Amino acid sequence: MEATLRRVPLFNDLSEAELALIGDRLTVHRYDAGMIVFSEGEVCRELWIVKEGTVKMLKTAPSGRQQLIGIERAGNSLSEVAAFDGGCYLATAQTASSTVLLRLEADHFCRICLQHQEVALKVIKVLGHRLRSMGRLIEELSFSTVRGRLIAHLMRIAEHDGRRTSRGIEFELTENNEELAARLGTVRELVSRNLGRLHGEGWIEIRRRSVTIPNLSKLKEEAGLPGP
C-alpha cells in the first residue's frame, strides 16, 4: 500500500510511519469498466485514489449531454474539493476500464491536512492545476468552434505523447469519436466530420487510430492558436 501512496502527489513527502497510518485507514474497491463510482450532487464522505485503471470525470447538462472534464489515472486523487469542504461531488466519476480505487474517509483526510502543512499545500497545488484546466476548457467551449477545439486537443496529445517520425509527429488516438465528442462538448457526427475534413485537407493523416500531424506549427496557425 505504501508504494501506491508514494505515487500520489498529495502524500509522497510523508514518512513511512505517516504513510502507514494512512494505509491502515484505506479500503480497496474494484470496479468493472463503465461503472459509476460516485455521482454529481451526492454528498462526499471520502477521498478516492486511483490504484489501477482509468476514471472519467463527467458533468451532465439538464438535456442529458455529458461533458468530459478530465481523465484520472493511477496515482491520481479524486474529489479533493468535496472531501475538504464536506460538500457534494462536483462531477460524476465513471470507470473507463477495469479499475481499483482506494477510499480514505474525508474526516481522516482533513486531519492529515491539518497535521501536515505540506499535504495541505499540495492539495492547493492540485486544485490550482484543476482550476487552470477548467478555465481552459471553459474558454475553448465558449470561444472556439468544434474544429478549433478538436485541433487544440490533437495538438495537446501530440505535444505530450507524440513521437517524431519522417512524416511528422505521430501518436495514438485512444479515445473513440463518442468519447472525443464528450470531451469537446459536441456530438459524435461532428467529430467524425471534422476529423475527415482535417485528413482530407492534409492537416492530419489518420490510419485507423494512429494520427500524424505533418506540420504542427502550420496546424497551430490554422486553428488561430499561439505558436511555440
Side-chain angles (χ1 to χ4, degrees), residues 192-207:
S192 300
R193 188 181 308 162
N194 279 279
L195 282 173
R197 287 176 176 172
L198 290 172
H199 176 79
E201 294 167 8
W203 296 110
I204 64 174
E205 298 174 8
I206 304 178
R207 292 180 176 82

PDB file of all heavy atoms in Angstrom, residues 192-207:
ATOM      1  N   SER A 192     -16.579  13.158 -36.243  1.00  0.00           N
ATOM      2  CA  SER A 192     -16.230  12.363 -37.425  1.00  0.00           C
ATOM      3  C   SER A 192     -16.049  13.254 -38.648  1.00  0.00           C
ATOM      4  O   SER A 192     -15.089  13.094 -39.418  1.00  0.00           O
ATOM      5  CB  SER A 192     -17.328  11.324 -37.697  1.00  0.00           C
ATOM      6  OG  SER A 192     -17.487  10.448 -36.609  1.00  0.00           O
ATOM      7  N   ARG A 193     -16.980  14.195 -38.808  1.00  0.00           N
ATOM      8  CA  ARG A 193     -16.924  15.090 -39.971  1.00  0.00           C
ATOM      9  C   ARG A 193     -15.660  15.937 -39.956  1.00  0.00           C
ATOM     10  O   ARG A 193     -14.973  16.094 -40.980  1.00  0.00           O
ATOM     11  CB  ARG A 193     -18.163  15.984 -39.975  1.00  0.00           C
ATOM     12  CG  ARG A 193     -18.333  16.829 -41.249  1.00  0.00           C
ATOM     13  CD  ARG A 193     -19.587  17.688 -41.137  1.00  0.00           C
ATOM     14  NE  ARG A 193     -20.755  16.866 -40.787  1.00  0.00           N
ATOM     15  CZ  ARG A 193     -21.894  17.359 -40.296  1.00  0.00           C
ATOM     16  NH1 ARG A 193     -21.989  18.666 -40.073  1.00  0.00           N
ATOM     17  NH2 ARG A 193     -22.898  16.568 -40.037  1.00  0.00           N
ATOM     18  N   ASN A 194     -15.317  16.495 -38.789  1.00  0.00           N
ATOM     19  CA  ASN A 194     -14.147  17.364 -38.715  1.00  0.00           C
ATOM     20  C   ASN A 194     -12.838  16.591 -38.817  1.00  0.00           C
ATOM     21  O   ASN A 194     -11.875  17.084 -39.409  1.00  0.00           O
ATOM     22  CB  ASN A 194     -14.191  18.186 -37.423  1.00  0.00           C
ATOM     23  CG  ASN A 194     -15.101  19.398 -37.538  1.00  0.00           C
ATOM     24  OD1 ASN A 194     -14.698  20.420 -38.075  1.00  0.00           O
ATOM     25  ND2 ASN A 194     -16.319  19.266 -37.058  1.00  0.00           N
ATOM     26  N   LEU A 195     -12.789  15.388 -38.276  1.00  0.00           N
ATOM     27  CA  LEU A 195     -11.601  14.553 -38.471  1.00  0.00           C
ATOM     28  C   LEU A 195     -11.406  14.251 -39.948  1.00  0.00           C
ATOM     29  O   LEU A 195     -10.287  14.312 -40.476  1.00  0.00           O
ATOM     30  CB  LEU A 195     -11.727  13.253 -37.678  1.00  0.00           C
ATOM     31  CG  LEU A 195     -11.452  13.306 -36.175  1.00  0.00           C
ATOM     32  CD1 LEU A 195     -11.793  11.970 -35.528  1.00  0.00           C
ATOM     33  CD2 LEU A 195     -10.000  13.674 -35.891  1.00  0.00           C
ATOM     34  N   GLY A 196     -12.517  13.925 -40.635  1.00  0.00           N
ATOM     35  CA  GLY A 196     -12.440  13.637 -42.066  1.00  0.00           C
ATOM     36  C   GLY A 196     -11.968  14.832 -42.868  1.00  0.00           C
ATOM     37  O   GLY A 196     -11.154  14.696 -43.797  1.00  0.00           O
ATOM     38  N   ARG A 197     -12.464  16.011 -42.520  1.00  0.00           N
ATOM     39  CA  ARG A 197     -12.050  17.220 -43.241  1.00  0.00           C
ATOM     40  C   ARG A 197     -10.587  17.548 -43.001  1.00  0.00           C
ATOM     41  O   ARG A 197      -9.862  17.921 -43.936  1.00  0.00           O
ATOM     42  CB  ARG A 197     -12.932  18.395 -42.812  1.00  0.00           C
ATOM     43  CG  ARG A 197     -14.352  18.335 -43.375  1.00  0.00           C
ATOM     44  CD  ARG A 197     -15.209  19.460 -42.838  1.00  0.00           C
ATOM     45  NE  ARG A 197     -16.543  19.459 -43.450  1.00  0.00           N
ATOM     46  CZ  ARG A 197     -17.547  20.233 -43.050  1.00  0.00           C
ATOM     47  NH1 ARG A 197     -17.358  21.077 -42.027  1.00  0.00           N
ATOM     48  NH2 ARG A 197     -18.717  20.172 -43.657  1.00  0.00           N
ATOM     49  N   LEU A 198     -10.139  17.432 -41.752  1.00  0.00           N
ATOM     50  CA  LEU A 198      -8.736  17.710 -41.456  1.00  0.00           C
ATOM     51  C   LEU A 198      -7.829  16.742 -42.212  1.00  0.00           C
ATOM     52  O   LEU A 198      -6.762  17.132 -42.711  1.00  0.00           O
ATOM     53  CB  LEU A 198      -8.483  17.613 -39.951  1.00  0.00           C
ATOM     54  CG  LEU A 198      -9.096  18.718 -39.083  1.00  0.00           C
ATOM     55  CD1 LEU A 198      -8.941  18.388 -37.603  1.00  0.00           C
ATOM     56  CD2 LEU A 198      -8.450  20.068 -39.386  1.00  0.00           C
ATOM     57  N   HIS A 199      -8.264  15.483 -42.326  1.00  0.00           N
ATOM     58  CA  HIS A 199      -7.494  14.493 -43.085  1.00  0.00           C
ATOM     59  C   HIS A 199      -7.524  14.837 -44.568  1.00  0.00           C
ATOM     60  O   HIS A 199      -6.474  14.814 -45.243  1.00  0.00           O
ATOM     61  CB  HIS A 199      -8.070  13.098 -42.836  1.00  0.00           C
ATOM     62  CG  HIS A 199      -7.406  12.024 -43.634  1.00  0.00           C
ATOM     63  ND1 HIS A 199      -6.188  11.473 -43.273  1.00  0.00           N
ATOM     64  CD2 HIS A 199      -7.788  11.402 -44.790  1.00  0.00           C
ATOM     65  CE1 HIS A 199      -5.848  10.566 -44.173  1.00  0.00           C
ATOM     66  NE2 HIS A 199      -6.798  10.491 -45.094  1.00  0.00           N
ATOM     67  N   GLY A 200      -8.702  15.163 -45.075  1.00  0.00           N
ATOM     68  CA  GLY A 200      -8.841  15.467 -46.498  1.00  0.00           C
ATOM     69  C   GLY A 200      -8.071  16.702 -46.923  1.00  0.00           C
ATOM     70  O   GLY A 200      -7.574  16.772 -48.050  1.00  0.00           O
ATOM     71  N   GLU A 201      -7.955  17.672 -46.004  1.00  0.00           N
ATOM     72  CA  GLU A 201      -7.238  18.913 -46.325  1.00  0.00           C
ATOM     73  C   GLU A 201      -5.730  18.792 -46.085  1.00  0.00           C
ATOM     74  O   GLU A 201      -4.982  19.735 -46.355  1.00  0.00           O
ATOM     75  CB  GLU A 201      -7.805  20.057 -45.475  1.00  0.00           C
ATOM     76  CG  GLU A 201      -9.259  20.395 -45.816  1.00  0.00           C
ATOM     77  CD  GLU A 201      -9.911  21.286 -44.772  1.00  0.00           C
ATOM     78  OE1 GLU A 201      -9.189  21.758 -43.860  1.00  0.00           O
ATOM     79  OE2 GLU A 201     -11.131  21.501 -44.860  1.00  0.00           O
ATOM     80  N   GLY A 202      -5.297  17.650 -45.565  1.00  0.00           N
ATOM     81  CA  GLY A 202      -3.874  17.414 -45.392  1.00  0.00           C
ATOM     82  C   GLY A 202      -3.280  17.919 -44.083  1.00  0.00           C
ATOM     83  O   GLY A 202      -2.057  17.851 -43.902  1.00  0.00           O
ATOM     84  N   TRP A 203      -4.121  18.397 -43.178  1.00  0.00           N
ATOM     85  CA  TRP A 203      -3.603  18.889 -41.897  1.00  0.00           C
ATOM     86  C   TRP A 203      -3.172  17.733 -40.993  1.00  0.00           C
ATOM     87  O   TRP A 203      -2.254  17.884 -40.192  1.00  0.00           O
ATOM     88  CB  TRP A 203      -4.647  19.742 -41.186  1.00  0.00           C
ATOM     89  CG  TRP A 203      -5.000  20.993 -41.915  1.00  0.00           C
ATOM     90  CD1 TRP A 203      -6.179  21.286 -42.540  1.00  0.00           C
ATOM     91  CD2 TRP A 203      -4.164  22.131 -42.108  1.00  0.00           C
ATOM     92  NE1 TRP A 203      -6.128  22.530 -43.115  1.00  0.00           N
ATOM     93  CE2 TRP A 203      -4.901  23.073 -42.866  1.00  0.00           C
ATOM     94  CE3 TRP A 203      -2.859  22.446 -41.719  1.00  0.00           C
ATOM     95  CZ2 TRP A 203      -4.380  24.297 -43.231  1.00  0.00           C
ATOM     96  CZ3 TRP A 203      -2.333  23.685 -42.088  1.00  0.00           C
ATOM     97  CH2 TRP A 203      -3.093  24.585 -42.835  1.00  0.00           C
ATOM     98  N   ILE A 204      -3.886  16.604 -41.109  1.00  0.00           N
ATOM     99  CA  ILE A 204      -3.521  15.412 -40.354  1.00  0.00           C
ATOM    100  C   ILE A 204      -3.623  14.202 -41.277  1.00  0.00           C
ATOM    101  O   ILE A 204      -4.265  14.273 -42.336  1.00  0.00           O
ATOM    102  CB  ILE A 204      -4.427  15.186 -39.117  1.00  0.00           C
ATOM    103  CG1 ILE A 204      -5.880  14.933 -39.549  1.00  0.00           C
ATOM    104  CG2 ILE A 204      -4.338  16.352 -38.153  1.00  0.00           C
ATOM    105  CD1 ILE A 204      -6.810  14.562 -38.399  1.00  0.00           C
ATOM    106  N   GLU A 205      -2.994  13.110 -40.881  1.00  0.00           N
ATOM    107  CA  GLU A 205      -3.138  11.825 -41.566  1.00  0.00           C
ATOM    108  C   GLU A 205      -3.647  10.817 -40.539  1.00  0.00           C
ATOM    109  O   GLU A 205      -3.104  10.726 -39.434  1.00  0.00           O
ATOM    110  CB  GLU A 205      -1.798  11.364 -42.138  1.00  0.00           C
ATOM    111  CG  GLU A 205      -1.203  12.307 -43.181  1.00  0.00           C
ATOM    112  CD  GLU A 205       0.186  11.883 -43.609  1.00  0.00           C
ATOM    113  OE1 GLU A 205       0.612  10.767 -43.199  1.00  0.00           O
ATOM    114  OE2 GLU A 205       0.862  12.650 -44.313  1.00  0.00           O
ATOM    115  N   ILE A 206      -4.697  10.083 -40.901  1.00  0.00           N
ATOM    116  CA  ILE A 206      -5.268   9.101 -39.982  1.00  0.00           C
ATOM    117  C   ILE A 206      -5.195   7.716 -40.600  1.00  0.00           C
ATOM    118  O   ILE A 206      -5.651   7.512 -41.731  1.00  0.00           O
ATOM    119  CB  ILE A 206      -6.740   9.433 -39.646  1.00  0.00           C
ATOM    120  CG1 ILE A 206      -6.869  10.847 -39.065  1.00  0.00           C
ATOM    121  CG2 ILE A 206      -7.304   8.424 -38.652  1.00  0.00           C
ATOM    122  CD1 ILE A 206      -8.290  11.250 -38.752  1.00  0.00           C
ATOM    123  N   ARG A 207      -4.614   6.789 -39.863  1.00  0.00           N
ATOM    124  CA  ARG A 207      -4.610   5.376 -40.242  1.00  0.00           C
ATOM    125  C   ARG A 207      -5.143   4.593 -39.060  1.00  0.00           C
ATOM    126  O   ARG A 207      -4.442   4.414 -38.068  1.00  0.00           O
ATOM    127  CB  ARG A 207      -3.196   4.917 -40.624  1.00  0.00           C
ATOM    128  CG  ARG A 207      -2.664   5.533 -41.916  1.00  0.00           C
ATOM    129  CD  ARG A 207      -1.251   5.030 -42.213  1.00  0.00           C
ATOM    130  NE  ARG A 207      -0.742   5.535 -43.490  1.00  0.00           N
ATOM    131  CZ  ARG A 207      -0.198   6.724 -43.650  1.00  0.00           C
ATOM    132  NH1 ARG A 207      -0.090   7.541 -42.611  1.00  0.00           N
ATOM    133  NH2 ARG A 207       0.248   7.113 -44.838  1.00  0.00           N
TER     134      ARG A 207
END
